[in-house]
Amino acid sequence: MKRINKTLILLSGLVFATSSCKDSFTELGPYNRLSEAAIFDTPENVELAANGVYSQAAIGTYAGGAGRGYPFGAASIQQAEVRGEDVVNLEQFYQITYEATYSTTSANNTNHWDQLYNLINQANLFIEGVRGAESAGIITPEAANVYEGEARFLRALSHHELLLHFSLPYAEGANAGAYGVPYRDFGINSTETVERASTVDRGTVAGTYEKILADLDYAESVLPANSPINRAGKGAAIGLKTRIKLHLGDWAGVIAEGTKLGTDATGGTFTSPIGSYSLTASPDGPFTNYSNNTESIFSIANGQNSNPGTNGSLARMLGPAGPGGRGLVSTSPNLYNASFWVAGDLRRELLQVQDETGTYRHFFTKKYTDYTTQSDWAPILRYAEVLLNVSEAYARTGNTGQALLLLNAVRDRSVPADARFTSAPTDLIQAILNERRIEFAAEGRRWPDIHRLVLDPDYSTGGIPAKIKSGAWGGVFQNDGSDYGVGKPAIAAEIPAIPYSDYRFLWPINNTEVTTNPILANQQNPNY
């Protein structure tokens, strides 16, 4: 069981540090590692340990080395985008993911699994540590509850991320009994706990979702209503539940959770009674002031003093080469030119940028722009998503009026007045799904939607969509930017679609894990 011990490292993997900025939990300088006995011996050290857990969520490592952003940073967002069709992979960095040629030893899927379970283990050990500190009278029971709520939020978020890549979608119960992912809710820091972990199997998709929701229910019950954007609060737990229940097809549940955040308002303007969340006036608001805006419910922080490095930077990895990015992944012209993305939409002007000097004169996201210090925060959950989650749930249950109000709240801040919906479009659900593709471009939300909808009788892509082939690989897509323009025809997708029935729809559990863990070896995804 050496692999489990390696992947799910104990608290020595935490980044204990002093903060140079109270608003940023990962803008940290180095701090000496503490013995496990000393980690939770003062309230200040408990807080440092919490910072370390958030730091793992932000940065992770690549093959045990430099930060890459696998749990919830650049790598996870980029992979969730390149698994879909709304971006074009321009270089070899994510070609394996883009073309679905991954294997049990390929780096991206392997590191994503490893770093998510690393975060899960750190969260579990942190929970155990704060409960010990509570028992010793070092922190109050109320403080311990909040800390545990934060850790359980991150644990739930991590297990759901694993489900999205390694398990079949719940699909309103069609795959309820399929393999989930091992739900690890205890820390691994000894021979005994390593052996205990080796007995945890994948369970079922339904069972994994039950545990995710149990963690989020607990988090909601103890977390404060008002928290910094980079700290999980009550609104984050509730908002994540709207996402989880959307993936379950629990439309009534989505609506009920959304109501807690003000989505039942009937005037067309929405403000959450918890956390006072509301849409920013302009669609770029969450990205021009990522640490202090009304829309961001939960983001993973980065800062000048502990950025994730070039290969873990949102701006570097998703931005154009001219201003300082690497020009690796551009917006697909088939999204940029799509008829449902109407002319005059501010999101083209404010959140897309054409590279004027780099090799690829394509349009890239402009959501992340700090190419120097790489301090852009990773958006995990925004109020716009909550509104669109609930909008879809209302549309699915026949309440087109409320569904349209919620859709318009997000859409109308960006589109010209003459392009706004004054009545529900013929296919309201499709309009909501189209809006998600525009609104959340380059935020890692495309693959989750493909995954959850793949068995939907009306709105499925059928599997992994066909994709444009970069001109650098001999594709028809031109590198001079001439393929972009509202109303231009679609570019031929030369990389073939992969049907849902194909084993490549799921990632494999990595080779080292299955060769050292007999339970997971017998529960590997098919054909790997």
Side-chain angles (χ1 to χ4, degrees):
M1 307 319 301
K2 293 179 181 179
R3 179 58 178 176
I4 294 176
N5 197 28
K6 178 181 178 182
T7 301
L8 303 177
I9 60 174
L10 57 156
L11 279 173
S12 63
L14 290 173
V15 181
F16 295 106
T18 57
S19 176
S20 62
C21 175
K22 291 181 180 179
D23 292 330
S24 176
F25 286 93
T26 54
E27 191 168 333
L28 307 170
Y31 186 84
N32 59 301
R33 285 186 176 176
L34 306 174
S35 69
E36 191 169 349
I39 286 170
F40 299 99
D41 64 348
T42 68
E44 293 76 17
N45 282 344
V46 174
E47 180 64 13
L48 289 173
N51 293 349
V53 180
Y54 280 102
S55 182
Q56 166 62 22
I59 298 173
T61 62
Y62 179 80
R68 187 63 62 86
Y70 276 102
F72 296 105
S76 63
I77 287 174
Q78 198 161 6
Q79 291 214 92
E81 290 297 326
V82 300
R83 293 201 75 186
E85 78 281 37
D86 286 344
V87 297
V88 181
N89 188 60
L90 303 173
E91 298 289 356
Q92 294 184 357
F93 207 95
Y94 282 106
Q95 187 173 353
I96 288 174
T97 304
Y98 190 70
E99 298 189 352
T101 57
Y102 29 75
S103 69
T104 60
T105 59
S106 49
N108 290 325
N109 45 290
T110 291
N111 281 284
H112 205 49
W113 171 281
D114 285 355
Q115 293 307 311
L116 282 162
Y117 274 114
N118 188 356
L119 173 57
I120 290 165
N121 195 53
Q122 290 188 20
N124 289 333
L125 289 166
F126 179 71
I127 291 169
E128 294 172 11
V130 298
R131 287 306 175 190
E134 176 198 2
S135 297
I138 294 167
I139 58 175
T140 66
E142 292 77 16
N145 288 343
V146 171
Y147 279 130
E148 179 169 348
E150 291 182 86
R152 287 177 70 165
F153 172 86
L154 292 172
R155 187 168 78 186
L157 183 70
S158 299
H159 281 103
H160 190 234
E161 180 75 6
L162 287 158
L163 280 178
L164 294 175
H165 292 291
F166 296 94
S167 297
L168 295 173
Y170 183 76
E172 297 189 60
N175 292 321
Y179 282 136
V181 294
Y183 208 92
R184 292 172 177 157
D185 56 4
F186 57 92
I188 302 171
N189 61 352
S190 66
T191 301
E192 292 75 16
T193 50
V194 168
E195 292 303 317
R196 180 182 172 189
S198 71
T199 67
V200 178
D201 67 10
R202 293 181 64 176
T204 65
V205 169
T208 307
Y209 270 111
E210 288 175 5
K211 293 174 181 178
I212 288 171
L213 287 172
D215 272 345
L216 293 176
D217 285 341
Y218 176 84
E220 178 191 353
S221 73
V222 297
L223 290 176
N226 296 294
S227 294
I229 292 169
N230 55 352
R231 199 89 183 214
K234 190 181 297 292
I238 296 168
L240 185 54
K241 283 200 285 183
T242 70
R243 179 189 295 174
I244 298 301
K245 294 189 176 188
L246 196 72
H247 280 261
L248 290 170
D250 178 7
W251 316 124
V254 176
I255 292 168
E257 298 297 338
T259 296
K260 300 173 186 176
L261 300 182
T263 59
D264 58 338
T266 57
T269 301
F270 300 91
T271 300
S272 172
I274 295 171
S276 300
Y277 308 114
S278 63
L279 295 175
T280 56
S282 177
D284 63 342
F287 306 98
T288 56
N289 190 7
Y290 43 75
S291 65
N292 184 23
N293 67 84
T294 62
E295 185 172 332
S296 296
I297 297 176
F298 178 69
S299 297
I300 295 292
N302 293 298
Q304 292 187 25
N305 295 333
S306 76
N307 65 56
T310 297
N311 290 339
S313 163
L314 287 160
R316 292 283 188 92
M317 299 300 281
L318 288 162
R326 298 188 63 187
L328 299 175
V329 176
S330 67
T331 301
S332 169
N334 288 349
L335 174 64
Y336 189 93
N337 305 342
S339 60
F340 58 79
W341 196 346
V342 299
D345 191 315
L346 290 175
R347 288 168 292 193
R348 284 200 189 86
E349 175 187 344
L350 299 176
L351 295 173
Q352 294 285 319
V353 59
Q354 187 169 24
D355 194 342
E356 299 293 345
T357 60
T359 302
Y360 305 105
R361 305 298 173 85
H362 303 160
F363 279 85
F364 292 79
T365 185
K366 197 181 177 183
K367 289 181 174 178
Y368 319 109
T369 57
D370 186 356
Y371 306 105
T372 303
T373 60
Q374 301 155 69
S375 62
D376 300 276
W377 291 11
I380 303 301
L381 184 64
R382 294 196 281 126
Y383 195 53
E385 183 191 341
V386 172
L387 298 186
L388 291 179
N389 290 347
V390 181
S391 177
E392 183 179 338
Y394 274 123
R396 297 273 190 176
T397 55
N399 188 339
T400 58
Q402 193 65 13
L404 184 60
L405 284 176
L406 290 158
L407 170 61
N408 284 346
V410 177
R411 188 173 183 272
D412 286 359
R413 67 174 172 176
S414 298
V415 303
D418 61 2
R420 294 174 182 171
F421 296 133
T422 56
S423 60
T426 302
D427 193 336
L428 178 56
I429 295 172
Q430 186 64 64
I432 295 165
L433 297 176
N434 291 342
E435 186 66 19
R436 294 177 69 89
R437 291 174 69 180
I438 301 168
E439 181 65 25
F440 305 127
E443 294 183 52
R445 303 308 323 146
R446 182 56 184 149
W447 174 252
D449 277 350
I450 291 170
H451 185 268
R452 75 178 173 91
L453 294 167
V454 72
L455 292 182
D456 190 290
D458 299 310
Y459 303 105
S460 173
T461 61
I464 300 175
K467 302 173 186 179
I468 293 175
K469 189 175 185 179
S470 168
W473 310 335
V476 298
F477 180 37
Q478 299 300 308
N479 290 333
D480 60 6
S482 60
D483 288 319
Y484 291 89
V486 179
K488 286 194 173 185
I491 305 299
E494 297 173 292
I495 299 173
I498 295 174
Y500 167 70
S501 58
D502 191 292
Y503 72 98
R504 290 171 293 175
F505 185 78
L506 297 181
W507 281 349
I509 300 173
N510 67 69
N511 185 62
T512 310
E513 185 80 69
V514 297
T515 56
T516 56
N517 188 329
I519 288 181
L520 295 186
N522 291 326
Q523 297 179 344
Q524 175 65 284
N525 288 330
N527 297 316
Y528 284 109

